[in-house]
Amino acid sequence: MTAPAAAATPVPTAAAAERVLVLDFGSQFAQLIARRVREQNVYCEIVRHDITAARVRELAPIGLILSGGPNSVYEQGAPQCDAGLFDLGIPVLGICYGMQLICQALGGSVQSCPSREYGRAECEITAAGAGLFADVSPQTQVWMSHGDQVTGVAADFEPLAQTGTCPYAAIRHRERPIFGLQFHPEVTHTPEGSKVLRNFLKTFCGAEGAWKLGDFADETIQRIREQVGDDRVICGLSGGVDSSVVAALLYQAIGPQLSCILVDNGLLRLDEERLVVEEFSKHFKTDLHVVKAEEQFLSVLAGVTDPQEKRRRIGHTFIDCFTSEARKIEGAKYLAQGTLYPDVIESGAAPDGPADTIKLHHNVGGLPEELGFELIEPLRDLFKDEVRRLGLQLGLPEELVWRHPFPGPGLAVRCLGEVTKDKLDTLRQADAIVVGEIKSAGLYRATSQAFAVLLPVQSVGVMGDSRTYDNALAVRCVNTDDFMTADWSHLPYDLLARISTRIINEVKGVNRVVYDISSKPPATIEWE
């Protein structure tokens, strides 16, 4: 049994008047669109593609954005939207699939095109001075990702831009505030994309840009005080930025009424427990419980190799350990979690959000109903970069706020194949070398995430005069603004050489080190 899903956190009053909805048609960039809108200080939520016009009217957004998607709009069963959306008078911007959907619904035609466009393209703005392209260069670079395209528009539409193979790279309705872009303005590969989004939000949606994280913090702290009263709150602490910011918010709101639980599952990084306790003691003068549970987690992971099964078992075991410790804390009525907006979306837990579950998140729901806790998830409307900025505003140290992300299931998803204590110890040592050398080179803040991955691959090597047959280890280091797309970090060769030499010399059982030069997409940041 699982706890009831928490209601969506109310957004600040200023933001509620300036809400933009992104209708998700399966795009890998839907979250990125929402982030780009928020960068304009306009609050944004991702909702189901089939949300009804009546529900949209109830939410009263100032604008709608229809995302891209992998389907063809003319295929049977392709995701559609409520055609009534176009009659609400709310400004609409369709991106890629979203544009094709608009054209199909309003009298245009969409077909598979012989000249597909994937990647960078030169785009010519044909409607000079058009509001959507104000301050955008007449010849601008855009990012295309489509095999279908609009081949004809209704008389109510006019083209705004074109590429060498796409005559309708951008369109607008002549009377209604409805726009379409065949390219993706939300990705960094479209350098002037933020201008296009800003023009849509400010010129056509009338956005004032009133959403501020400082206001969010003040209102969240006040809301926690009113909700909690004199009761006690339990917070799961991991040492990462998410749980630390939650603890900081709670501490400012209720002080000594906060109890924190750290579950040492044996899947943490080198010296993680000690470092978390030290950092916690510096910044919070409140109750801390440490649960030693390495044997319990290793037992349930024995023989398991499937990544999702690892996550599932780790999640269930975490709940068991956390629940057992939480029962010992008297007067606890609330449970606080560091759930972020991507977690809510990817788990299918958002009330109006996409229904598909992308991956399992142990933070979203999951605690037994009989435990009787009410959930507090103060960060569930925020993205990672917003959480970092909030942490700095709350006075947390930069070294904690800018710490690289660490997966909830810990090193279990960086130890490919079966997880054992020996493998984890090997991985811990190697990972510490990777991160330590990158810090020594002064590149830790310049990179977004760096770690080691122990591979279930053995290869022949030579150490001294002896033949070895030991493990291969991959080093992964990426640069990203949003963790939705990422490029591999071009680390200096001498740094990579030091990392490799130290790992092979100092970590028993490893005789080969490789560097992962895959970008996301098509790869993911983590290996599992």
Side-chain angles (χ1 to χ4, degrees):
M1 300 180 68
T2 58
T9 305
V11 299
T13 305
E18 291 197 342
R19 185 196 312 261
V20 169
L21 302 180
V22 175
L23 277 66
D24 184 9
F25 291 89
S27 172
Q28 60 183 323
F29 298 134
Q31 293 181 24
L32 187 53
I33 296 171
R35 278 195 67 255
R36 295 294 183 244
V37 173
R38 291 190 185 188
E39 286 173 2
Q40 305 291 338
N41 294 323
V42 179
Y43 184 74
C44 187
E45 293 178 2
I46 300 173
V47 297
R48 296 173 58 96
H49 69 272
D50 56 357
I51 188 171
T52 65
R55 176 58 176 157
V56 169
R57 188 183 294 109
E58 181 183 336
L59 292 172
I62 62 171
L64 301 175
I65 299 178
L66 312 187
S67 83
N71 300 93
S72 294
V73 295
Y74 48 78
E75 291 178 343
Q76 185 175 1
Q80 305 289 318
C81 66
D82 186 339
L85 296 176
F86 305 122
D87 298 323
L88 296 176
I90 300 171
V92 179
L93 175 65
I95 297 175
C96 197
Y97 183 92
M99 168 182 165
Q100 296 165 14
L101 198 62
I102 289 172
C103 290
Q104 183 193 56
L106 299 179
S109 58
V110 179
Q111 296 178 4
S112 176
C113 52
S115 299
R116 300 183 178 190
E117 285 186 306
Y118 293 98
R120 292 178 175 86
E122 290 299 319
C123 182
E124 177 188 359
I125 310 303
T126 56
L132 193 64
F133 290 100
D135 299 322
V136 176
S137 306
Q139 296 283 343
T140 187
Q141 180 179 286
V142 299
W143 181 263
M144 291 285 194
S145 181
H146 67 98
D148 298 332
Q149 67 182 30
V150 174
T151 54
V153 296
D156 292 333
F157 284 87
E158 63 176 327
L160 301 178
Q162 64 184 18
T163 70
T165 60
C166 182
Y168 298 105
I171 58 166
R172 70 162 294 168
H173 196 281
R174 296 180 188 274
E175 298 178 358
R176 304 185 203 177
I178 299 175
F179 303 85
L181 302 172
Q182 183 59 71
F183 61 87
H184 289 270
E186 70 274 21
V187 301
T188 55
H189 304 303
T190 301
E192 296 188 278
S194 60
K195 293 181 182 179
V196 178
L197 288 174
R198 181 172 64 248
N199 290 335
F200 174 71
L201 296 168
K202 301 294 177 67
T203 303
F204 299 101
C205 299
E208 297 179 1
W211 191 63
K212 301 289 191 298
L213 276 177
D215 296 337
F216 177 89
D218 293 341
E219 294 186 24
T220 300
I221 288 170
Q222 182 59 36
R223 189 166 60 247
I224 290 171
R225 285 176 181 156
E226 293 173 357
Q227 180 180 1
V228 171
D230 296 328
D231 292 310
R232 179 163 290 277
V233 179
I234 296 176
C235 177
L237 196 68
S238 68
V241 61
D242 303 337
S243 64
S244 297
V245 172
V246 169
L249 279 169
L250 289 167
Y251 189 66
Q252 290 196 20
I254 59 173
Q257 294 166 241
L258 172 65
S259 291
C260 291
I261 297 176
L262 168 64
V263 177
D264 184 354
N265 55 15
L267 307 173
L268 304 178
R269 289 169 284 198
L270 191 67
D271 294 329
E272 184 91 359
E273 180 196 319
R274 177 181 60 80
L275 293 172
V276 170
V277 172
E278 287 179 0
E279 283 292 337
F280 183 87
S281 301
K282 284 181 188 176
H283 302 289
F284 310 107
K285 306 298 180 185
T286 190
D287 189 33
L288 174 63
H289 300 244
V290 178
V291 180
K292 303 279 192 179
E294 180 183 49
E295 291 185 6
Q296 192 170 343
F297 278 84
L298 289 179
S299 175
V300 300
L301 288 171
V304 179
T305 59
D306 179 73
Q308 281 292 76
E309 182 62 17
K310 286 182 186 178
R311 290 178 180 271
R312 190 189 69 80
R313 293 193 181 201
I314 290 169
H316 283 302
T317 307
F318 173 85
I319 290 170
D320 290 344
C321 293
F322 195 96
T323 300
S324 177
E325 189 66 25
R327 293 186 189 279
K328 302 174 185 177
I329 300 174
E330 294 184 3
K333 181 179 178 182
Y334 296 93
L335 170 69
Q337 296 186 147
T339 307
L340 303 190
Y341 194 46
D343 300 336
V344 175
I345 294 300
E346 291 180 352
S347 64
D352 293 302
D356 290 341
T357 298
I358 297 174
K359 60 183 178 180
L360 299 178
H361 288 277
H362 66 277
N363 263 2
V364 183
L367 287 174
E369 288 180 349
E370 61 267 21
L371 196 56
F373 285 145
E374 295 181 33
L375 281 179
I376 297 177
E377 296 179 309
L379 307 181
R380 68 180 279 128
D381 288 318
L382 301 184
F383 289 100
K384 175 70 78 172
D385 60 316
E386 295 168 334
V387 173
R388 292 190 192 281
R389 298 205 312 271
L390 180 59
L392 293 173
Q393 290 183 19
L394 293 171
L396 293 175
E398 288 200 4
E399 60 269 22
L400 178 58
V401 169
W402 289 103
R403 195 175 189 197
H404 286 182
F406 189 62
L411 295 179
V413 294
R414 295 177 180 174
C415 181
L416 273 60
E418 183 180 6
V419 178
T420 67
K421 188 176 188 316
D422 288 343
K423 288 182 178 180
L424 290 169
D425 288 340
T426 296
L427 183 54
R428 258 187 282 269
Q429 295 177 55
D431 187 76
I433 291 172
V434 172
V435 174
E437 286 293 339
I438 289 174
K439 285 182 176 179
S440 297
L443 295 175
Y444 188 73
R445 281 284 300 275
T447 57
S448 304
Q449 196 165 354
F451 54 91
V453 181
L454 188 62
L455 308 180
V457 175
Q458 287 76 44
S459 65
V460 174
V462 177
M463 290 186 178
D465 295 324
S466 301
R467 177 185 182 276
T468 63
Y469 192 67
D470 285 330
N471 296 301
L473 184 133
V475 174
R476 179 71 159 148
C477 187
V478 299
N479 289 3
T480 177
D481 293 327
D482 45 57
F483 292 91
M484 289 167 244
T485 62
D487 195 11
W488 59 277
S489 303
H490 294 234
L491 298 180
Y493 288 158
D494 58 344
L495 173 58
L496 290 173
R498 284 198 303 274
I499 290 173
S500 176
T501 300
R502 283 197 59 195
I503 289 174
I504 290 173
N505 287 345
E506 299 175 27
V507 181
K508 186 177 180 181
V510 176
N511 68 353
R512 191 177 299 272
V513 174
V514 299
Y515 189 53
D516 183 348
I517 59 170
S518 308
S519 295
K520 175 187 179 182
T524 56
I525 295 176
E526 296 287 346
W527 278 48
E528 286 195 344

